[in-house]
Amino acid sequence: GKDAVIISPYVEKWMVKSPAQNDSSQSYYGLGLPLSFIKTLKNNKWSIQSTLILRVNTESFNQKRVLQTGGQILLTYKASENFTYQFGLYANDELFGLFILPRIGIDWIINNRTNLFGLLPGNLNFEYRMSNYFYSGFIIRTITNSYADVKTIYWRINENQAGVYLDSYLTKNIVLNAEAGHSILRTLTSGSYQQQVPYRWKANDNFYVKLMLAYRIRLR
């Protein structure tokens, strides 16, 4: 009765301007399908979540497709009605090699309007409920992705972001999310599949704006 299957498909687009391409803009696309299963253990304070992640990150879906396979294991402990811990490990077969990341999470209901939750070092979210239809907050996230190039070269993007957001619930489950913020210590690395010798390019930090439409099921 407390088990769950979670399907989280997504599509993304990055626009990169680099010296290697004479400062011309280049787009990279991501298509992902994370599949998660949450199992509540006999002791209801504990649950375990296993996730399989299938991704294709490439310059063009029509020219080259490189499948990345990864996953995550999370162990959750509900210390109280208002406080939950998470411990786990994330791994993905990135184009630059195997990427492994230990993870620790928190879900803290501070009061009936304020929550603090996240899975570090991936993200940390401070959320404030303005009404039943509007939520605002502050978010910190880190991103590590690699994208295939048609010239047998991959690009690795390391992105750290700090931003503020507003969630508007158009219906019970349809959410319009608007977010704005700034990147921190952004890096851009390129490498060859044959030689596997990466080269780090100088990358500029800048402001970002994100607009997202999502189907979301709130658990509280």
Side-chain angles (χ1 to χ4, degrees):
K2 294 186 179 180
D3 299 342
V5 175
I6 302 173
I7 305 174
S8 308
Y10 68 87
V11 178
E12 65 176 3
K13 176 182 179 181
W14 287 80
M15 295 186 67
V16 178
K17 182 181 290 187
S18 73
Q21 297 164 326
N22 297 320
D23 287 331
S24 61
S25 295
Q26 176 65 52
S27 296
Y28 292 89
Y29 304 90
L31 180 64
L33 182 62
L35 301 172
S36 299
F37 176 67
I38 300 177
K39 175 66 178 178
T40 301
L41 305 181
K42 290 184 178 180
N43 183 339
N44 290 336
K45 288 182 176 291
W46 292 91
S47 65
I48 187 168
Q49 176 180 325
S50 57
T51 303
L52 172 66
I53 305 173
L54 302 176
R55 298 193 311 184
V56 174
N57 288 349
T58 183
E59 180 184 11
S60 172
F61 289 115
N62 296 326
Q63 298 183 47
K64 185 170 185 175
R65 301 190 180 187
V66 178
L67 178 65
Q68 299 180 23
T69 304
Q72 181 171 263
I73 294 291
L74 284 177
L75 188 63
T76 299
Y77 175 68
K78 189 173 183 178
S80 68
E81 288 300 318
N82 295 331
F83 209 97
T84 300
Y85 299 99
Q86 288 182 313
F87 309 92
L89 188 69
Y90 167 85
N92 190 70
D93 184 21
E94 297 282 352
L95 302 178
F96 54 81
L98 182 62
F99 181 67
I100 299 177
L101 189 67
R103 313 205 75 175
I104 182 169
I106 183 177
D107 191 345
W108 179 21
I109 304 175
I110 301 173
N111 54 48
N112 62 355
R113 286 185 175 271
T114 309
N115 299 327
L116 179 67
F117 58 93
L119 198 55
L120 296 171
N123 62 80
L124 186 64
N125 192 324
F126 179 83
E127 179 189 73
Y128 177 76
R129 179 172 64 86
M130 303 167 64
S131 71
N132 291 335
Y133 301 99
F134 294 99
Y135 292 74
S136 62
F138 177 79
I139 187 168
I140 298 174
R141 70 168 62 88
T142 64
I143 301 169
T144 297
N145 277 339
S146 57
Y147 296 83
D149 191 282
V150 296
K151 304 178 183 64
T152 69
I153 294 173
Y154 69 83
W155 289 95
R156 171 176 174 169
I157 296 174
N158 283 79
E159 177 88 350
N160 308 292
Q161 297 176 347
V164 294
Y165 68 88
L166 177 67
D167 282 345
S168 176
Y169 280 77
L170 307 180
T171 68
K172 181 181 178 180
N173 300 116
I174 303 298
V175 186
L176 180 63
N177 167 267
E179 179 182 326
H182 202 278
S183 67
I184 304 170
L185 301 177
R186 172 189 288 163
T187 61
L188 184 64
T189 307
S190 64
S192 168
Y193 300 136
Q194 288 80 18
Q195 299 178 355
Q196 290 294 310
V197 179
Y199 182 83
R200 177 170 293 186
W201 300 92
K202 181 180 178 181
N204 296 323
D205 288 304
N206 211 330
F207 293 97
Y208 73 90
V209 176
K210 187 180 76 169
L211 189 65
M212 178 176 69
L213 187 66
Y215 182 87
R216 182 181 299 164
I217 299 175
R218 292 192 68 92
L219 301 181
R220 61 176 182 270

